[in-house]
Amino acid sequence: MAKSFNKEALKYHSENKPGKVDVQSSKSCKTEYDLSLAYSPGVAAPCKEIYKNPDKVYDYTTKGNLVAVITNGSAVLGLGDIGPLASKPVMEGKGVLFKKFAGIDVFDIEVKSDSVDEFINSVKSLEPTFGGINLEDIKAPDCFIIEERLKKEMNIPVFHDDQHGTAIISAAALINACQITKKKLKSVKVVFNGAGAAAIACAKLFVKIGVLKKNITMCDSRGVIQSERKEGINEYKKEFMIKTKNRTLADALKGADVFCGLSVAGALTPTMLKGMSKNPIVFAMANPDPEILPSEAKKVRPDVIMATGRSDFPNQVNNVLGFPSIFRGALDVQATHITEDMKMAAATALAELARQDVPDSVSEAYSNQSFTFGPDYIIPKPFDNRVLTTVAPAVAQAAMKGKVARKPLKDIEAYTEQLEAAQSFRQGFIRTNINKIKQGVKRSRGKKPVIVFPEGHSRKILKAMNTIVSENIIHPILLGNPDKVKKMIEELELENLNDIEVYQPKEHELYQKYTDEFWKLRQRKGVMEAEAERLMKDQYYFSSMMVKNGEADALVSGAVQNYADCITPIFEIIGADKYKTAAGLIIILFEDRLLFLADTTVNINPTAEQLATIALSASRVAKYYNIEPKVAMLSYSNFTGRKEAPSKMRKATEIINQIDPKLIVDGEMQADTAINPTIVERIFPFCNIKDGANILIFPDLNSGNIAYKLIQQLSECAVMGPFLLGINKPANVLQRTCTVQDIINTVVLTAVEAQAYKFRAKAKKNGRKK
């Protein structure tokens, strides 16, 4: 197994391009003019500005988002003193984690020096280049001296992660373990095994969070660090020297509440663990093998709460939960130092986050494991996106409060949203629209869009609602058996849904009215009165009637039922709008653009007239998001085709021009022509679309569906939808494979659509053209 894994690791590091990091330009450099801006003569302008005002370096360079990961390779985790060259893969890996989890750029620097003074001078000389310094894998006690001096002599954050990262994560774990076991921090007796940099930093931070220093016993390879001992004591160990009769780890652990191991495998024996207090807390953080395996610990003490440094056991004390977000917060306020209060803020924020409900997106990243606050989940998981948006703002606030922030934030909530948006195009787009809905709610004097969900018994729907309700942007109504739905809410511990409305259609006061209305609506289409009564007991039909009659502004279904069965009652009851053609719309988000694709789900081979109405409906949706619609009618030819498909698209273009002459539309054209302005400029200067289309209309369902699924699989983009176009009132159908996050996205965009519909209807009523 080990040999096979090592082989895979070597392949991972060597294949394609050797190493793990890359440098990419953040600015365009495709033309001679771009080159003149990027380098000479254009580069002189920012140089002059920085010379006049050094703070401008943060405006014109990457300094504010650039961290140096620096080592001399004297204490590489699990490998020892392997030197700077052999440590480079570790430092590159650290850079990957900074970028992945906080969007921070990194240069790894391996210094060939065993001299403390030489190393310090090397790092100090780099201050003009970097916004922060992450010290890594430096032996003790050199690491203490180096960090202390650099913090005093530099005016940017300096952070030794081996010490403080471990301390912050284990402090968060201790806070929560004590809460679960109902132990008080000021009363717990803590025993450390290992007295190196990480152990001493942990002990210091434990004191900061409330553990009494007199209750801490520290052991090293020679036993308890106590007042009568002379051998192997340095000034850093001396800080935790105590007067005691205990001489060995076994002595110290009798009756102890907490074991904190930063030592070697097997250091904690089952016999030692047996002698600890009730509900012992064991942090066995030796790598790669812990001081005691969880399976061994549970055999002798089923009441133990354990954390290790390994990802294959619960409660991994993983520094990636700390350093990316800590530096993110520090860099964003241009902090001069990382203070003890900033570390404390990070630990507290992580502890609080672990006590919150865990989103499905986190479970999906861990093979759909379920995580609930308790003995096996006392610290968050690294792939929880909320770590960044929780820890970084807490660190930034602590920096501002501690007067070490050169650029204080004006609005923490806005900063948190900015971090969320930076994590992905999709999250940024959704956050923008959540804020848009909130503004709309203010405009309508607190009236939130009412959205009905016919699948109230769906776990995914309930989990999505728990998140949506916390944003306070919609008034949700669930359909289903109230008792069963409420029981599910209780079982899933979805506290935000305790007061949510749940109705059973057949017991609703409007059931008979809806039945009569539906029968009148469909009696000439083969629906008998008894059939109308039966169908109106169906949640999908009832929800459509609620939207038609205005008891709800919109509906969202499809998490459980198949697409065709969901859209049938929508078409029969809500119906198509004046454009007469319903269609499916997909929204695709790239880093630098947003595209709308239609029809992707409904019409197999639409006519020119239908395609025109689909394009007009899609253009209206683009306007919801303040995007000027530019519509490309796609085919396999550019403005010359005479066969059926090209002719159909050209005719559809003509119809659109007649209906809405102001709309930017052209076709037929090939897909590359539609989205690449250079092709239009060079070959088709007569084309109406000059800067690339943002709405792509396909000639048939085959091409539309295939295109969006290929884009989804082959590119770094976010795909949302499908959304229904051309319906009299907002109604959208999910795909049964949807995730909780997909549901949240669809609900948010449905709410935007519902608000736009209401504002448009109000404007029309008041005699204004919207």
Side-chain angles (χ1 to χ4, degrees):
M1 173 64 181
K3 190 178 288 187
S4 173
F5 183 76
N6 287 341
K7 187 177 179 180
E8 285 298 312
L10 291 173
K11 182 181 177 184
Y12 174 83
H13 283 78
S14 64
E15 67 181 355
N16 299 325
K17 185 177 181 180
K20 300 190 290 283
V21 293
D22 204 354
V23 176
Q24 295 184 1
S25 173
S26 62
K27 302 292 188 293
S28 173
C29 193
K30 297 178 180 178
T31 66
E32 185 179 6
Y33 184 67
D34 288 345
L35 185 60
S36 71
L37 292 173
Y39 201 58
S40 182
V43 74
C47 291
K48 292 174 183 177
E49 291 299 312
I50 295 167
Y51 181 74
K52 287 189 288 185
N53 180 0
D55 287 344
K56 289 288 184 181
V57 71
Y58 290 99
D59 297 332
Y60 298 119
T61 75
T62 59
K63 179 180 171 74
N65 194 52
L66 189 61
V67 166
V69 174
I70 306 182
T71 188
N72 62 4
S74 58
V76 179
L77 181 65
L79 299 171
D81 187 354
I82 60 173
L85 190 63
S87 74
K88 187 170 177 62
V90 179
M91 304 310 125
E92 286 189 357
K94 198 83 173 189
V96 171
L97 300 181
F98 266 109
K99 189 68 176 178
K100 168 66 180 175
F101 291 100
I104 294 171
D105 297 317
V106 163
F107 287 147
D108 62 285
I109 298 173
E110 295 74 33
V111 179
K112 188 177 181 180
S113 175
D114 294 324
S115 163
V116 168
D117 288 334
E118 194 173 270
F119 187 91
I120 289 170
N121 289 332
S122 296
V123 177
K124 281 173 60 180
S125 68
L126 298 171
E127 185 167 348
T129 303
F130 295 99
I133 302 292
N134 184 98
L135 299 171
E136 195 77 17
D137 292 347
I138 303 168
K139 69 181 179 181
D142 292 2
C143 61
F144 298 118
I145 301 166
I146 289 168
E147 188 189 38
E148 285 174 8
R149 279 188 50 189
L150 288 175
K151 284 171 72 174
K152 288 177 183 176
E153 298 173 26
M154 297 184 77
N155 210 31
I156 57 174
V158 177
F159 186 80
H160 184 208
D161 184 51
D162 301 319
Q163 292 183 61
H164 311 300
T166 304
I168 288 163
I169 315 310
S170 58
L174 182 61
I175 291 168
N176 282 342
C178 285
Q179 181 169 324
I180 292 166
T181 57
K182 298 182 179 177
K183 296 176 188 272
K184 293 182 179 179
L185 285 165
K186 66 181 181 180
S187 302
V188 294
K189 294 180 180 179
V190 182
V191 177
F192 280 87
N193 195 49
I200 289 169
C202 285
K204 286 181 177 179
L205 194 57
F206 283 13
V207 171
K208 186 81 174 172
I209 64 172
V211 176
L212 298 182
K213 194 172 181 181
K214 67 179 183 179
N215 289 340
I216 294 176
T217 299
M218 190 167 286
C219 304
D220 60 13
S221 58
R222 300 184 183 188
V224 175
I225 297 171
Q226 40 81 23
S227 55
E228 294 181 15
R229 201 180 112 183
K230 306 300 179 186
E231 306 85 9
I233 301 294
N234 58 38
E235 60 179 297
Y236 304 102
K237 292 181 182 181
K238 195 175 287 185
E239 185 177 349
F240 289 95
M241 181 179 281
I242 59 170
K243 188 175 182 179
T244 179
K245 293 180 181 179
N246 295 328
R247 294 295 182 266
T248 66
L249 176 62
D251 295 338
L253 279 171
K254 290 173 183 174
D257 298 288
V258 181
F259 170 83
C260 192
L262 292 143
S263 52
V264 294
L268 178 63
T269 67
T271 303
M272 293 177 191
L273 180 55
K274 274 184 183 179
M276 290 181 70
S277 69
K278 183 182 178 183
N279 299 317
I281 299 166
V282 173
F283 297 163
M285 296 181 284
N287 263 322
D289 298 312
E291 285 80 358
I292 187 169
L293 290 169
S295 56
E296 293 177 1
K298 292 280 186 183
K299 278 182 185 176
V300 294
R301 292 300 299 266
D303 58 341
V304 68
I305 291 182
M306 274 206 72
T308 70
R310 289 195 8 190
S311 60
D312 52 343
F313 298 133
N315 300 322
Q316 183 191 17
V317 178
N318 190 330
N319 287 16
V320 79
L321 288 167
F323 67 83
S325 300
I326 291 165
F327 267 99
R328 181 75 279 158
L331 290 173
D332 289 340
V333 295
Q334 293 177 18
T336 55
H337 298 88
I338 292 176
T339 65
E340 292 303 308
D341 285 340
M342 291 162 75
K343 298 171 198 170
M344 175 79 166
T348 304
L350 282 169
E352 289 174 354
L353 179 60
R355 297 193 288 270
Q356 296 176 18
D357 290 333
V358 181
D360 268 24
S361 57
V362 179
S363 296
E364 287 162 14
Y366 292 90
S367 303
N368 291 313
Q369 293 179 59
S370 179
F371 301 111
T372 305
F373 180 63
D376 288 338
Y377 181 74
I378 58 175
I379 39 179
K381 292 291 182 180
F383 284 99
D384 188 336
N385 287 337
R386 300 171 304 163
V387 170
L388 178 66
T389 56
T390 302
V391 175
V395 170
Q397 282 183 300
M400 292 187 289
K401 191 175 180 181
K403 309 294 185 186
V404 295
R406 284 179 292 200
K407 185 185 175 184
L409 299 170
K410 295 178 181 177
D411 187 336
I412 282 291
E413 186 178 345
Y415 172 60
T416 304
E417 292 177 358
Q418 176 189 325
L419 290 172
E420 183 182 3
Q423 288 182 316
S424 75
F425 320 138
R426 185 192 318 230
Q427 284 177 259
F429 182 67
I430 292 300
R431 175 52 57 187
T432 298
N433 282 286
I434 286 174
N435 290 336
K436 183 175 182 177
I437 297 165
K438 289 179 178 178
Q439 291 168 3
V441 170
K442 286 181 182 178
R443 281 174 59 193
S444 55
R445 298 180 182 179
K447 291 183 179 178
K448 293 175 284 189
V450 179
I451 301 182
V452 60
F453 300 87
E455 296 162 330
H457 55 290
S458 163
R459 286 174 175 262
K460 289 192 291 187
I461 290 288
L462 292 176
K463 288 181 177 181
M465 285 306 95
N466 196 55
T467 299
I468 287 288
V469 167
S470 68
E471 292 285 357
N472 200 28
I473 56 171
I474 68 165
H475 177 163
I477 297 174
L478 303 178
L479 298 184
N481 183 306
D483 292 335
K484 289 183 179 178
V485 173
K486 293 288 185 181
K487 187 178 179 182
M488 287 180 68
I489 290 170
E490 190 177 327
E491 288 173 354
L492 294 170
E493 298 180 348
L494 305 176
E495 294 179 2
N496 292 336
L497 303 186
N498 287 340
D499 300 320
I500 198 166
E501 293 178 52
V502 186
Y503 299 113
Q504 180 83 290
K506 65 181 180 181
E507 295 172 1
H508 197 283
E509 61 183 1
L510 294 173
Y511 167 72
Q512 194 57 51
K513 177 190 172 186
Y514 284 178
T515 299
D516 295 342
E517 188 174 336
F518 179 66
W519 183 43
K520 289 177 184 176
L521 186 68
R522 304 293 296 178
Q523 61 188 353
R524 291 182 180 273
K525 295 182 180 179
V527 176
M528 306 299 286
E529 187 171 8
E531 180 71 358
E533 288 180 359
R534 185 186 68 79
L535 288 174
M536 205 42 58
K537 293 174 185 176
D538 179 276
Q539 290 151 211
Y540 299 93
Y541 276 83
F542 193 89
S543 61
S544 295
M545 193 62 78
M546 288 183 75
V547 174
K548 183 179 188 299
N549 282 275
E551 273 79 36
D553 299 312
L555 75 82
V556 174
S557 63
V560 175
Q561 189 69 284
N562 69 66
Y563 191 86
D565 288 343
C566 288
I567 62 172
T568 298
I570 293 170
F571 287 167
E572 289 182 358
I573 296 172
I574 299 174
D577 66 13
K578 64 182 179 180
Y579 293 125
K580 303 299 182 188
T581 304
L585 176 81
I586 289 289
I587 299 176
I588 298 183
L589 292 166
F590 295 94
E591 187 173 7
D592 59 347
R593 69 168 68 185
L594 185 151
L595 294 177
F596 301 90
L597 278 60
D599 176 15
T600 58
T601 59
V602 179
N603 300 282
I604 294 173
N605 189 20
T607 64
E609 290 75 15
Q610 288 176 316
L611 288 163
T613 62
I614 290 168
L616 289 165
S617 295
S619 68
R620 190 169 71 187
V621 172
K623 291 176 184 176
Y624 293 163
Y625 306 111
N626 300 320
I627 294 170
E628 181 186 18
K630 291 179 283 185
V631 185
M633 308 301 287
L634 301 183
S635 186
Y636 57 77
S637 58
N638 284 308
F639 312 107
T640 58
R642 297 181 182 180
K643 299 287 184 179
E644 181 186 352
S647 297
K648 179 173 69 171
M649 302 309 282
R650 195 159 57 250
K651 183 179 178 183
T653 304
E654 293 168 0
I655 295 169
I656 295 167
N657 282 324
Q658 290 171 7
I659 297 172
D660 188 353
K662 292 182 179 179
L663 181 64
I664 299 172
V665 60
D666 215 334
E668 92 291 0
M669 65 175 70
Q670 294 175 346
D672 56 347
T673 304
I675 62 174
N676 189 339
T678 305
I679 295 176
V680 170
E681 185 180 340
R682 193 174 70 248
I683 305 174
F684 307 109
F686 55 84
C687 179
N688 294 329
I689 302 169
K690 301 300 182 186
D691 298 315
N694 48 35
I695 298 175
L696 306 180
I697 305 299
F698 293 86
D700 55 43
L701 188 58
N702 271 328
S703 55
N705 195 275
I706 291 168
Y708 101 76
K709 291 194 173 181
L710 278 174
I711 293 170
Q712 185 176 30
Q713 295 301 318
L714 297 177
S715 66
E716 297 263 338
C717 68
V719 174
M720 291 185 288
F723 300 96
L724 277 174
L725 295 174
I727 303 299
N728 275 319
K729 289 187 176 182
N732 287 309
V733 180
L734 302 156
Q735 297 187 44
R736 278 189 291 181
T737 55
C738 66
T739 64
V740 170
Q741 189 59 52
D742 291 333
I743 297 170
I744 292 168
N745 297 341
T746 298
V747 172
V748 169
L749 299 187
T750 301
V752 170
E753 187 182 359
Q755 276 190 336
Y757 176 87
K758 290 180 79 171
F759 291 147
R760 192 167 61 248
K762 184 177 179 181
K764 188 175 180 181
K765 184 178 179 182
N766 293 338
R768 299 193 303 272
K769 187 175 180 181
K770 189 72 174 173

